[in-house]
Amino acid sequence: MAAMMRIRTLATLLSVVSLAACEKNAVQSITQPATGAFIRFQNYAVSAPGVNFYANDQKLTAINSTSCTPPTPAACTTTGIESTTGVAYGATANGINYSMLTPGQYKLTGRIAAATDNGLPIASLDANLADGKFYSFFTSGIYNSTTKTSESFIIEDALPTTFDYSKAYIRFVNASSNATAITAAAKLQGTTTVVPITATGVGYKSASPIVTLVPGLTDVTLTANGVSVTFTGFNLLPGHVLTLALRGDATSSSTTTGLILTGVYNR
């Protein structure tokens, strides 16, 4: 499941966009001890082109192109040819699933998928991926169309080793380079108890610890610069871990480049 809400901001945080849900089978189930290192990729650099992600020279993400024939709705088939779309801005690669790698040192890169500048890295970093651990790699900040570069960072997805399947799990990530440190709190709809998601402000390229909540429709409030805005209707699932990531340009009120809060399940 993925959820998305938008904040438009100049000096304050403004409106909300509705949630979007994905297929049930897009939520990865982790039911046995992991072998190897696991990583997934998010293209969250504002206005970035579509990219494919690599570990050293090994391509870990790609999209098949399709051919569609009228009438409407068109009948579409996979062509077997790789699409030049890549992982678009705001998207998570591979249906939000993790890729498995042999543990070790890697250069992780996001490379342009389009025919023009195909394979050109826009972001890269070196990371040592440990056995049995899970990671998320983000392109982040604001894409520079002149230098054709963005920022990036990696965080460990420190999933709980034991689960209370009557509880939902949630954390917050800040992928916006010019947003101030953000605090977040949640409240189950129909109740009055507010539960902090962040103990303190979460700065750029940082994540809060995972906290447990009662499952159900939940409203999430973000606070920055002394201004709070509430996002309503996140459906928190029992026994699952949800990452809420803030991305976008804090100085923009655009519906495409302004601040956006995206929820993606880790488990």
Side-chain angles (χ1 to χ4, degrees):
M1 169 180 176
M4 179 178 296
M5 290 183 172
R6 183 177 306 277
I7 313 169
R8 302 180 195 175
T9 175
L10 291 174
T12 62
L13 302 175
L14 303 176
S15 63
V16 176
V17 173
S18 61
L19 297 172
C22 67
E23 294 288 337
K24 179 180 178 182
N25 59 12
V27 177
Q28 186 179 35
S29 178
I30 304 168
T31 58
Q32 59 186 13
T35 56
F38 295 81
I39 187 168
R40 71 175 182 183
F41 302 92
Q42 285 97 164
N43 186 5
Y44 283 4
V46 179
S47 300
V51 296
N52 288 315
F53 291 96
Y54 289 72
N56 296 335
D57 290 325
Q58 179 183 357
K59 184 187 292 186
L60 299 181
T61 69
I63 300 174
N64 278 325
S65 63
T66 57
S67 176
C68 300
T69 304
T72 303
C76 298
T77 57
T78 300
T79 65
I81 301 172
E82 183 181 334
S83 170
T84 55
T85 301
V87 181
Y89 169 57
T92 301
N94 293 339
I96 80 170
N97 290 311
Y98 289 88
S99 298
M100 184 177 73
L101 293 171
T102 301
Q105 188 73 26
Y106 291 92
K107 180 174 286 296
L108 304 171
T109 58
R111 307 183 190 182
I112 294 176
T116 302
D117 295 322
N118 182 266
L120 179 70
I122 69 167
S124 65
L125 58 78
D126 295 319
N128 185 29
L129 306 183
D131 185 43
K133 292 191 175 182
F134 293 77
Y135 302 90
S136 288
F137 175 95
F138 297 84
T139 63
S140 62
I142 301 172
Y143 178 70
N144 186 321
S145 59
T146 300
T147 61
K148 298 180 182 179
T149 57
S150 75
E151 298 181 64
S152 62
F153 66 99
I154 188 172
I155 56 175
E156 182 184 346
D157 299 334
L159 303 178
T161 55
T162 60
F163 269 83
D164 180 347
Y165 287 91
S166 68
K167 300 292 186 180
Y169 295 76
I170 192 170
R171 70 169 179 176
F172 178 80
V173 171
N174 188 347
S176 174
S177 59
N178 58 5
T180 61
I182 306 293
T183 60
K187 181 175 71 67
L188 185 69
Q189 289 185 358
T191 71
T192 59
T193 301
V194 176
V195 179
I197 299 173
T198 64
T200 58
V202 177
Y204 178 45
K205 298 185 178 181
S206 299
S208 72
I210 295 172
V211 299
T212 59
L213 297 174
V214 176
L217 288 177
T218 299
D219 301 337
V220 176
T221 299
L222 298 184
T223 302
N225 294 329
V227 177
S228 298
V229 62
T230 298
F231 306 91
T232 61
F234 283 94
N235 187 20
L236 303 187
L237 301 176
H240 290 76
V241 179
L242 178 70
T243 290
L244 295 175
L246 184 70
R247 56 186 170 89
D249 181 354
T251 68
S252 172
S253 59
S254 166
T255 58
T256 57
T257 61
L259 289 178
I260 303 168
L261 182 66
T262 302
V264 180
Y265 275 99
N266 297 83
R267 171 188 167 133

